[in-house]
Amino acid sequence: MTDRAGRVGNPASILVLGAGVAGMSCALAAVAEGHDVVLVTPGTLGSEHSELGGGNTALAQGGIAAALGAADSAADHCADTLAAGAGIVDPSAAELLTAEGIDAVRALLAAGFAADRDATGELSLGLEAAHRRPRIVHAGGDRTGAILHAVLAARVRGQVGAGRIEVIECCSARSLVLDGGAVTGAVLRHDDGTLAPRRADAVVLATGGYAGLYPRTSNHAGARGEGIVLAVRVGAAVADLEFVQFHPTVLAGTGELVSEAVRGDGAVLLDGAGRRFMRARHPLAELAPRDVVSREIHRVLRERDEASVWLDATGIERDRGSGTLARHFPGISAAVARSGLDWSREPIPVSPAAHYAMGGVVSDLDGRTTVPGLYAVGEVAATGVHGANRLASNSLLEGLVFGARAGRAVGADRAGDWRLRGAGARGLSGTALASMLPADSRGIGVGVGDGTGDGDGDGTGDGTDAAVAGALAAGLGIERDADGLRDAGRVFSSRPGAAATLASMIRISAESRTESRGAHQRSDHPETDPAQAARRAFRFTITDLPEAAPAAESQLLRSLSPC
Ligand code: SIN
């Protein structure tokens, strides 16, 4: 039963943490079902060209993968997703993503997303690594994420104007509130340090990934996986944390991505001697899956004792005419120019950087986690859709598809139902966990924090921890081994803060996988082990020292009595 404003008779209140593509897609879908949404963003909601604190969404270059080409099909897109994921993609997740993704992108186009088109008005579909067909929808050349973000933000602003979405800016969640076995709200922390409790029938984590924990990263500064730590603290299972994707081509000395679409257009990789090394390593050469290309660059750099390889895009300019690079890739061209280089005339130095986290909070295809009332969508979630290595441009698609699915599910699953049926009735059932190796339970000890709770372990107050970042790069980079993992573990367990806590979980996950698969490569276990061809879930318990629990927060949590 809905009223004239489209509200259902008993609307659910939904707290969405994060305003990237997944968070906004979730919020918009929930509102369309008649529910009330509070959207919390660490950024701001501008009046025009809003970035809504866009995070990695606004930085995305390549595009959105969808089987929209005449010769393409969801089945082919699914097959490429499975192949890139190195044997552990959940087939039901990949089938759903690639099938529903077609309609999701069509709906986006209908909503005003101005994708690039060719002279005949057809979508200009790009090619990226490990896709057998051109299927990358892009906008503004390499500004796909920013344009997508602006379209979604405008729709969110429209719902703010209609009183259907409340946006809380410059704010993030400090903790989740657990009541009777279900998440019933969160304690929010504003940028000025004030804490505010919020009740909700459901909390949706759309907080992004953790590749920003690494010192060399293409991610925005906030991508530190704090949503995973929040979820673990209320007992949620996590999975796949060992799989961190390194993007092969990030401009040397910067965090500026040089999109795979540039290689899709014909750019090639050269070593310091000018040799095109990828041809000998993989039939797809520069368009081999991302983990393969990054690993090969890593090997070349180590062998040659050099800091970067070279991306030669001059052939694109030669073949397609002067100005092609600036026209197709305006954002990258500007970044290259800022580095004092001219890529239309010379190869540019690039090297891999941490780019995407396949691991996250275990969730089903509607975002349900193992804890009732808690949902996860986008990069913070681990649905199994990416396996051990995400296929290029599947991440914006993931945010669109799974974000909207969760927005529709949360209302139907509202907390009143859980209470009637008992805790656990609407948390993720055994099915999503059944295909995984048995969930392992581990404890993580946390050092004494500085009380700010900002994930900061070095007292800088900026949420980063240089020691943790350095140990991640040294022990949990493109190649790992038992000694490196142990050394990194020593650093993590000696540091306070969320970054060190999550790094410990990544390390334990990586240690448990004694094989090489996709983005997880161990020089001491170089083979892929068929017996480990499954995802692995963990239930971590975080043991804080008493000093690490700020009194003010405990007070706030107590004030949030059961609804
Ligand atoms: C890129 O444009 O190369 C990145 C796209 C992605 O991460 O999927």
Side-chain angles (χ1 to χ4, degrees):
M1 183 82 150
T2 57
D3 66 16
R4 284 170 55 203
R7 286 179 191 279
V8 289
N10 179 19
S13 61
I14 299 165
L15 184 61
V16 180
L17 304 175
V21 56
M24 287 196 287
S25 297
C26 175
L28 290 165
V31 160
E33 297 284 313
H35 302 296
D36 297 318
V37 174
V38 176
L39 185 65
V40 177
T41 171
T44 56
L45 176 60
S47 55
E48 341 182 312
H49 309 303
S50 160
E51 291 299 315
L52 257 180
N56 281 338
T57 294
L59 294 179
Q61 294 178 352
I64 313 170
L68 291 167
D72 205 358
S73 68
D76 283 356
H77 184 187
C78 182
D80 290 348
T81 301
L82 294 172
I88 58 166
V89 173
D90 182 329
S92 58
E95 274 161 29
L96 187 146
L97 176 75
T98 53
E100 292 195 3
I102 295 173
D103 283 344
V105 174
R106 285 200 180 122
L108 192 64
L109 295 168
F113 175 70
D116 296 331
R117 293 179 181 271
D118 65 19
T120 68
E122 290 298 313
L123 282 175
S124 156
L125 297 172
L127 181 66
E128 287 183 1
H131 287 274
R132 281 176 298 174
R133 299 189 200 296
R135 62 167 71 99
I136 314 301
V137 177
H138 48 90
D142 58 9
R143 297 192 58 249
T144 311
I147 291 171
L148 168 64
H149 202 272
V151 167
L152 294 176
R155 292 181 57 201
V156 167
R157 278 202 302 275
Q159 295 297 344
V160 171
R164 306 295 303 279
I165 297 182
E166 178 190 357
V167 175
I168 304 181
E169 302 173 321
C170 302
C171 187
S172 48
R174 179 177 178 110
S175 56
L176 301 174
V177 176
L178 198 59
D179 172 30
V183 167
T184 56
V187 176
L188 305 180
R189 183 183 55 233
H190 295 273
D191 275 3
D192 65 6
T194 55
L195 300 180
R198 276 274 172 164
R199 277 191 198 142
D201 292 325
V203 175
V204 182
L205 295 172
T207 46
Y210 51 87
L213 287 175
Y214 283 75
R216 179 150 174 72
T217 177
S218 64
N219 284 201
H220 79 107
R224 291 190 296 269
E226 285 167 6
I228 296 174
V229 180
L230 292 177
V232 166
R233 283 186 179 280
V234 293
V238 294
D240 309 330
L241 296 179
E242 66 273 37
F243 298 113
V244 178
Q245 182 172 78
F246 286 78
H247 195 290
T249 54
V250 175
L251 191 60
T254 74
E256 302 280 359
L257 193 68
V258 183
S259 175
E260 226 156 44
V262 178
R263 277 173 283 137
D265 267 11
V268 297
L269 286 164
L270 306 174
D271 66 16
R275 276 187 295 257
R276 206 178 144 193
F277 55 90
M278 278 311 301
R279 272 203 295 220
R281 305 306 295 190
H282 197 280
L284 292 171
E286 282 83 2
L287 292 178
R290 207 170 265 182
D291 59 320
V292 175
V293 181
S294 285
R295 199 152 59 246
E296 195 52 24
I297 294 176
H298 181 70
R299 188 190 62 77
V300 166
L301 296 181
R302 203 182 38 212
E303 271 176 22
R304 296 184 58 83
D305 195 21
E306 290 172 345
S308 47
V309 295
W310 301 87
L311 182 72
D312 186 355
T314 57
I316 299 177
E317 196 82 353
R318 218 174 25 248
D319 296 347
R320 309 242 203 117
S322 168
T324 304
L325 287 173
R327 223 173 27 255
H328 285 195
F329 306 110
I332 303 169
S333 295
V336 169
R338 279 196 299 276
S339 285
L341 301 165
D342 178 356
W343 68 331
S344 68
R345 297 161 66 94
E346 59 194 347
I348 54 170
V350 293
S351 63
H355 179 64
Y356 185 87
M358 272 70 77
V361 181
V362 173
S363 47
D364 72 9
L365 304 183
D366 291 314
R368 296 182 192 95
T369 70
T370 52
V371 178
L374 182 65
Y375 296 73
V377 291
E379 196 173 344
V380 69
T383 58
V385 75
H386 306 307
N389 175 53
R390 175 175 63 80
L391 183 67
S393 287
N394 266 359
S395 54
L396 292 180
L397 189 69
E398 171 188 26
L400 286 171
V401 170
F402 291 117
R405 286 181 66 90
R408 292 190 291 269
V410 287
D413 291 355
R414 81 186 56 129
D417 295 342
W418 302 323
R419 302 249 164 67
L420 291 177
R421 294 176 208 176
R426 285 291 186 166
L428 170 148
S429 67
T431 51
L433 285 171
S435 60
M436 301 189 196
L437 297 173
D440 199 342
S441 297
R442 298 289 185 93
I444 306 269
V446 177
V448 181
D450 62 4
T452 65
D454 61 0
D456 193 315
D458 60 7
T460 58
D462 63 0
T464 63
D465 185 325
V468 169
L472 275 168
L476 285 134
I478 290 176
E479 203 169 56
R480 297 110 188 243
D481 65 23
D483 290 346
L485 290 169
R486 191 195 51 236
D487 293 348
R490 284 202 191 106
V491 175
F492 304 150
S493 56
S494 71
R495 308 290 299 171
T501 305
L502 178 52
S504 286
M505 297 185 222
I506 301 168
R507 200 259 316 158
I508 290 168
S509 305
E511 209 164 50
S512 316
R513 190 169 286 280
T514 50
E515 63 157 355
S516 290
R517 181 183 298 278
H520 173 70
Q521 295 290 318
R522 289 192 54 161
S523 56
D524 52 348
H525 295 282
E527 305 300 329
T528 300
D529 174 7
Q532 297 188 51
R535 300 169 57 223
R536 183 183 271 112
F538 281 89
R539 289 181 194 279
F540 290 106
T541 310
I542 302 173
T543 321
D544 294 285
L545 295 177
E547 297 89 325
E553 183 181 1
S554 311
Q555 189 62 43
L556 272 163
L557 286 171
R558 273 199 294 276
S559 74
L560 266 185
S561 53
C563 316

